[in-house]
Amino acid sequence: MRDFTDEARRPEHAPGDHPKVPRERTGLLLANLGTPDGHDYWSMRRYLNEFLSDRRVIDYPRWKWQPLLQAIILTKRPFTSGAAYRSIWDTERNESPLLTITKDQTAAMAERMAARYGEDVVVDFCMRYGNPSTKAKVRQMVEAGCTRILFFPLYPHYAGATSATANDQFFRALMEEVRQPVARIVPPYFDEPAYIDALAASVERKYAELDHRPDILVCSYHGMPKRYLMQGDPYHCQCQKTTRLLRERLGWETTEIATTFQSVFGPEEWLKPYTVEEVARLARQGKKSIAVCAPAFSADCIETLEEINEEIRESFEHAGGERFTYIPCLNDDAAHMDALAGVVEANLAGWLD
């Protein structure tokens, strides 16, 4: 984010000891899940500790969960998760793909906001876990003169463990500000026509590149305990609607597309069908060629680049599958960024017109 301190001025008629005040602006803060600072043991342990200590992610009683987390999980999991991150790590930039892509998305959004609003909108990004932190970025925006902040969790679908916890952290950051900016939260955009169009276009492009047509497109969404659905979390229903809208936009039959859920963790039942099991079942049923996309992720990350393109691919091939195609997330694709910019403009209405 640009440094605006040189533009700060003392208010007219203010006494000489009055602090300088920056010109009022509106902040747009994009938020993603997060990334460890490195794939070494201690970087992974810090990241996993913050992530797995979040009550929105794991809601077991602390007296039961924390001893298990600290004494067992965090002594072993940093090694396995670190190896997974190492397999996708950008060694040249020394950062994860999620961080690189989020930076690119932020730059693309800043270009669109500058073209629409000039310098009235300050665009930046933060991570729920790891760096850059939500607290630090809110502080920077306030110092830059942002008296209003539009907070945008980059999740098409609402879930307590994604959108809600990102919002929680944003609200915590606001609690520490002497002069709180006015705040708005961008709602889920899982059924926005421009987002569905961008998603469909990415599928059509990938299919056009292939020398064969996959037997089925698997839309793999991040999973959650089924219990959360029963408690009222709308995530499952929103995912199902995205798949339906994508199918209708593509003009396909119901047999050509499926909804599954990945990243199961812990002993309880999660949303089904599980992607890793479903792709194996499809292979055994004779579906020798499949494509997989991940509509719930706005940017490629460990769950797509390592879990889908390695673990889930392996499950499909071991069950007899022959051709596995991964369709990348929308990332900083122009149509995707145009769709997100449209969502932003709609939510800035009344503040900036």
Side-chain angles (χ1 to χ4, degrees), residues 10-324:
R10 187 172 291 108
E12 189 177 357
H13 306 305
D17 61 349
H18 193 289
K20 292 183 178 180
V21 178
R23 178 168 74 83
E24 289 192 5
R25 290 180 170 85
T26 297
L28 169 60
L29 187 55
L30 309 178
N32 218 320
L33 180 75
T35 174
D37 296 324
H39 49 69
D40 59 282
Y41 175 84
W42 290 108
S43 293
M44 290 304 312
R45 182 172 178 123
R46 283 193 301 272
Y47 175 74
L48 290 171
N49 183 46
E50 184 180 10
F51 175 51
L52 296 176
S53 293
D54 186 347
R55 293 299 302 279
R56 290 279 195 179
V57 176
I58 306 291
D59 65 350
Y60 300 149
R62 289 188 182 278
W63 65 267
K64 180 187 296 186
W65 174 243
Q66 280 298 319
L68 176 64
L69 176 65
Q70 302 299 328
I72 299 177
I73 296 173
L74 290 181
T75 60
K76 298 179 180 180
R77 185 148 181 169
F79 291 109
T80 55
S81 295
Y85 269 97
R86 192 176 303 114
S87 71
I88 65 169
W89 201 259
D90 186 332
T91 55
E92 186 173 328
R93 297 191 186 191
N94 192 27
E95 62 188 28
S96 72
L98 176 64
L99 181 56
T100 302
I101 293 166
T102 305
K103 287 178 178 177
D104 293 341
Q105 290 174 323
T106 303
M109 183 64 76
E111 290 179 2
R112 285 161 173 78
M113 293 298 102
R116 177 72 174 82
Y117 302 108
E119 291 193 351
D120 289 338
V121 176
V122 176
V123 182
D124 209 341
F125 76 95
C126 65
M127 298 295 186
R128 169 60 183 89
Y129 313 105
N131 297 303
S133 71
T134 305
K135 177 181 175 180
K137 288 301 180 178
V138 168
R139 179 90 286 273
Q140 288 181 19
M141 284 194 160
V142 171
E143 291 175 346
C146 295
T147 56
R148 298 175 294 202
I149 296 178
L150 178 63
F151 187 70
F152 193 171
L154 290 176
Y155 308 106
H157 312 80
Y158 175 91
T162 54
S163 309
T165 189
N167 294 340
D168 290 345
Q169 197 73 346
F170 176 55
F171 299 144
R172 291 188 193 103
L174 293 179
M175 289 172 65
E176 299 192 21
E177 292 303 320
V178 173
R179 180 181 178 180
Q180 282 187 334
V182 177
R184 285 181 182 173
I185 306 296
V186 175
Y189 56 94
F190 64 95
D191 56 356
E192 283 288 328
Y195 160 69
I196 299 297
D197 286 345
L199 200 58
S202 72
V203 172
E204 290 170 336
R205 279 196 305 272
K206 177 58 71 173
Y207 272 46
E209 294 173 3
L210 302 175
D211 60 2
H212 66 284
R213 181 180 177 83
D215 297 320
I216 190 169
L217 171 65
V218 176
C219 295
S220 180
Y221 297 85
H222 198 287
M224 68 162 55
K226 183 179 178 181
R227 173 169 52 87
Y228 292 5
L229 167 63
M230 298 297 101
Q231 292 171 348
D233 193 302
Y235 178 74
H236 177 266
C237 300
Q238 293 180 358
C239 292
Q240 294 285 359
K241 185 173 183 180
T242 292
T243 300
R244 176 177 63 79
L245 293 175
L246 175 60
R247 178 182 62 77
E248 292 172 354
R249 165 63 177 76
L250 291 168
W252 290 2
E253 299 296 326
T254 55
T255 54
E256 297 179 276
I257 194 167
T259 297
T260 63
F261 299 90
Q262 63 184 83
S263 308
V264 177
F265 176 81
E268 65 180 302
E269 181 182 358
W270 281 43
L271 298 178
K272 291 183 177 180
Y274 301 149
T275 305
V276 69
E277 296 178 357
E278 183 65 9
V279 296
R281 188 188 70 81
L282 289 170
R284 289 192 294 269
Q285 281 192 339
K287 306 288 187 184
K288 300 301 183 182
S289 174
I290 68 170
V292 179
C293 66
F297 298 91
S298 63
D300 276 305
C301 54
I302 191 75
E303 285 86 357
T304 62
L305 298 175
E306 195 276 335
E307 186 177 359
I308 291 180
N309 214 18
E310 294 183 24
E311 294 177 29
I312 291 170
R313 175 193 292 268
E314 185 177 302
S315 176
F316 175 69
E317 293 175 347
H318 280 185
E322 298 173 357
R323 290 180 288 194
F324 182 100

